[in-house]
Every structure is written in C-alpha cells, then in structure tokens.
Amino acid sequence: AFCLFARFRLEMAEAGGQAQVSGDHVLAQFVAPDGTTPTPRLDLPLNVTTAQLNDLLNQLLQNEDTTPYSFYVDGLEILESLSKTVEEQKVSTEKLLSISYQPQAMFRVRGITRCTSSLPGHSEA
C-alpha cells in the first residue's frame, strides 16, 4: 500500500504539481457503503481533489473498469477538494479521517448501427 501511495503522490506531482509532497496531510481511511474498510490507511495531502481520490480508490480496489465514486466526510459530500470539506466541517486532522464512498451510476451511450423502421409520410420529400 505504501508503494501505491508513493506512486500516487509522484503522479500527482507530475500532473501539474497541484498536490505536492509538502503541505498539510491527513491520515485517512476509505469506508465502503456496507461499513467495511477494504483499503489500508493512507497519508493523503489535504488538497487532494475528488478526481484524484477516484483514481486512487479505483487503483486500491483493483477495478478493471474505472468506476466513478462520490466521497463523503461526516455525511458531507466532497465536491472540490478534501481541504475545503475539512474546513467546512471543522473536522480534526489529528485523528483518522473516515472517507465514505458511494459508486455513482454509469450512463453509457451506444451508437445506432441500423434503423429498424422509418416514419410514414416522409418518403416523397
């Protein structure tokens, strides 16, 4: 798990430098919808975004297809970054932070390959 997190921190730093290694961190644990904790505890930077949390969770759960998730701290959804949610909730970063996640519905659009019927009255146009 440490190797995966070290790689995650490196990828975030390389991807525009938004989440550098320096700065405030929090010890966090992902909590599944059924209340279990399928992942190890992680040392996350507070400025981690929901997209980065989504990538990390998909890697930790070893999902073959990327599944979109929504994340919650004390019932409040993380919309932008973990730091904004922690500030709004006034949650202590001194203790383990439980981050609940819920899979979001996936809508996929499939292209039409053939037409099985036509509208009457438009044949002479």
Side-chain angles (χ1 to χ4, degrees):
F2 177 74
C3 181
L4 177 66
F5 179 65
R7 187 179 69 197
F8 174 70
R9 286 170 59 170
L10 179 63
E11 287 173 359
M12 287 192 311
E14 290 174 352
Q18 290 185 359
Q20 296 291 332
V21 174
S22 62
D24 294 332
H25 289 243
V26 64
L27 188 61
Q29 173 78 53
F30 286 116
V31 179
D34 61 1
T36 60
T37 53
T39 63
R41 294 178 179 182
L42 300 169
D43 180 23
L44 294 175
L46 277 175
N47 60 349
V48 67
T49 64
T50 54
Q52 293 166 334
L53 285 172
N54 200 33
D55 292 341
L56 178 63
L57 185 60
N58 275 299
Q59 288 178 7
L60 289 171
L61 296 178
Q62 298 175 351
N63 292 339
E64 291 179 12
D65 294 330
T66 301
T67 304
Y69 293 99
S70 56
F71 300 95
Y72 301 88
V73 173
D74 290 340
L76 182 67
E77 185 173 5
I78 302 171
L79 298 174
E80 294 177 28
S81 68
L82 185 58
S83 62
K84 289 189 179 194
T85 305
V86 166
E87 287 174 14
E88 290 174 8
Q89 287 287 320
K90 300 195 183 344
V91 177
S92 172
T93 57
E94 300 286 323
K95 61 180 184 173
L96 180 67
L97 183 66
S98 295
I99 302 175
S100 304
Y101 65 90
Q102 294 279 339
Q104 294 180 343
M106 292 181 57
F107 298 99
R108 296 187 182 176
V109 178
R110 290 186 275 174
I112 298 174
T113 57
R114 62 186 166 168
C115 182
T116 58
S117 64
S118 60
L119 296 173
H122 292 279
S123 60
E124 297 178 14

